[in-house]
Amino acid sequence: MKQLKDHEAFETSSLIGHSARVYALYYKDGLLCTGSDDLSAKLWDVSTGQCIYGIQTHTCAAVKFDEQKLVTGSFDNTVACWEWSSGAKTQHFRGHTGAVFSVDYNDELDVLVSGSADFTVKVWALSTGTCLNTLTGHTEWVTKVVLQKCKVKSLMHSPGDHILLSADKYEIKIWPIGREINCKCLKTLSVSEDRSISLQPRLHFDGKYIVCSSALGLYQWDFASYDILRVIKPPDFLNVSLLGFGEIFALLFDNRYLYIMDLRTEKLISRWPLPEYRKSKRGSSFLAGEMSWLNGLNGQNDTGLVFATSMPDHSIHLVLWKEHG
């Protein structure tokens, strides 16, 4: 905590290897995936800065990966699935009529979901590429889809149910995801009745709480009741976006700094300078790294990636926890 307050907890580094704009980033277990306009996706070991895999793809607007595969959403209106080891395309999902800005999937359900500039969310069979359903109701680009297990009981869902959240500029929609085709929207959340306030293209959902930021502040909804639990107002001079939200800390940023807020006091306790870069309207070209420390620093979890963003020179700027000698 002292190092955070003294602005000495972090260090920076860069990943260099792409030859065009990097749009898509996804982080998991020490590995960072980057998708670029140079028609490639790369997988990096954040601790060493080494590129582990590089495969030829389409232009990536969104990426998500696991040990075997990479799923990409593209500006060419399609989603594709690739095998890391061979670079082969194993599945192609065609049907959107606009760029695909966000993807998520669940192997257990054999389901892939995609959010698009055509205002729809599509639900696909991951293994076959068949479109199972098209979810309509959004009136803006769908910039974020999140597939997550519910952890609380309500009138509409039970713990263990799979839930899909989809977000556009003004609304967050909640859908039940199972084997059924007839998927009806359970609830639509927004922060203003008249669309005067837009949501930031970032969404946090852990199965219990939904958190999203807007110009009015950070909104936290209780997933059991859909009630707004609290609105956290940042200081007047800041227009911050949400990166990560835990039980103790929130990670926020604007064009100049990364900020850490103590959620117990709702005060900013630390900031870290960021280089000049362009904030993406869809919120895809920056992301938080390790998240466990947001639930409280335990002496072990202050390691690894804190934040990554793509830079105008096609490199990726990393903020890492400083190694404590």
Side-chain angles (χ1 to χ4, degrees):
M1 286 295 284
K2 181 178 186 308
Q3 283 178 322
L4 282 175
K5 285 171 178 160
D6 294 345
H7 313 300
E8 291 174 353
F10 304 141
E11 58 190 6
T12 59
S13 72
S14 292
L15 302 176
I16 297 166
H18 282 292
S19 59
R21 281 185 299 189
V22 175
Y23 264 112
L25 300 168
Y26 184 80
Y27 177 81
K28 182 184 173 189
D29 300 336
L31 299 172
L32 179 70
C33 180
T34 56
S36 167
D37 263 1
D38 64 12
L39 306 184
S40 79
K42 295 182 188 296
L43 191 66
W44 310 79
D45 182 326
V46 167
S47 61
T48 64
Q50 294 297 308
C51 179
I52 303 167
Y53 285 116
I55 60 177
Q56 293 302 116
T57 60
H58 43 188
T59 58
C60 297
V63 289
K64 185 179 179 181
F65 70 90
D66 55 41
E67 291 75 13
Q68 279 78 44
K69 65 181 175 295
L70 165 71
V71 171
T72 56
S74 175
F75 294 108
D76 68 10
N77 307 353
T78 71
V79 179
C81 186
W82 316 79
E83 195 174 65
W84 281 122
S85 56
S86 66
K89 187 194 293 176
T90 57
Q91 205 56 257
H92 212 157
F93 305 82
R94 291 184 176 91
H96 279 298
T97 57
V100 178
F101 292 141
S102 183
V103 292
D104 204 352
Y105 63 84
N106 183 297
D107 286 310
E108 182 192 340
L109 290 177
D110 189 31
V111 158
L112 180 146
V113 292
S114 53
S116 167
D118 64 12
F119 303 175
T120 71
V121 177
K122 286 189 182 287
V123 183
W124 313 81
L126 183 55
S127 55
T128 64
T130 312
C131 183
L132 304 174
N133 204 353
T134 300
L135 309 180
T136 58
H138 282 285
T139 54
E140 296 280 340
W141 291 0
V142 181
T143 53
K144 192 71 183 163
V145 288
V146 179
L147 203 50
Q148 173 69 275
K149 264 189 185 169
C150 176
K151 293 178 184 166
V152 290
K153 181 159 182 55
S154 79
L155 290 172
M156 300 195 186
H157 35 69
S158 306
D161 288 355
H162 286 89
I163 300 293
L164 167 64
L165 263 61
S166 58
D168 64 30
K169 192 176 173 184
Y170 299 108
E171 294 177 337
I172 301 164
K173 290 187 179 291
I174 299 163
W175 316 82
I177 287 288
R179 300 283 173 190
E180 79 291 336
I181 302 299
N182 298 326
C183 184
K184 296 278 185 285
C185 181
L186 298 175
K187 185 78 177 170
T188 299
L189 306 176
S190 62
V191 299
S192 65
E193 295 290 311
D194 60 355
R195 297 196 161 213
S196 56
I197 305 297
S198 61
L199 298 170
Q200 302 276 1
R202 279 277 147 201
L203 190 60
H204 171 86
F205 177 50
D206 61 4
K208 289 194 278 196
Y209 305 109
I210 299 169
V211 186
C212 196
S213 62
S214 75
L216 296 178
L218 283 181
Y219 279 73
Q220 182 182 22
W221 285 270
D222 176 42
F223 194 60
S225 64
Y226 299 142
D227 292 338
I228 293 173
L229 285 182
R230 62 175 173 172
V231 182
I232 302 170
K233 304 261 191 221
D236 291 339
F237 56 90
L238 290 181
N239 178 20
V240 292
S241 298
L242 175 73
L243 281 164
F245 193 91
E247 289 162 23
I248 307 288
F249 302 112
L251 187 63
L252 311 164
F253 78 122
D254 62 15
N255 285 334
R256 296 173 58 213
Y257 293 100
L258 203 54
Y259 299 95
I260 295 166
M261 177 182 277
D262 188 325
L263 292 169
R264 297 164 295 189
T265 60
E266 299 186 4
K267 296 273 190 297
L268 298 175
I269 59 164
S270 186
R271 72 179 191 186
W272 183 260
L274 294 175
E276 290 274 325
Y277 67 98
R278 180 175 142 274
K279 230 154 99 172
S280 145
K281 284 191 170 62
R282 296 169 291 99
S284 60
S285 57
F286 44 84
L287 86 169
E290 302 290 348
M291 294 285 210
S292 69
W293 67 273
L294 296 173
N295 293 326
L297 290 157
N298 64 9
Q300 304 293 316
N301 59 10
D302 54 344
T303 59
L305 183 69
V306 179
F307 172 77
T309 186
S310 57
M311 299 299 295
D313 66 358
H314 320 320
S315 68
I316 296 98
H317 179 81
L318 306 180
V319 177
L320 305 149
W321 285 98
K322 195 179 283 181
E323 287 200 38
H324 310 304

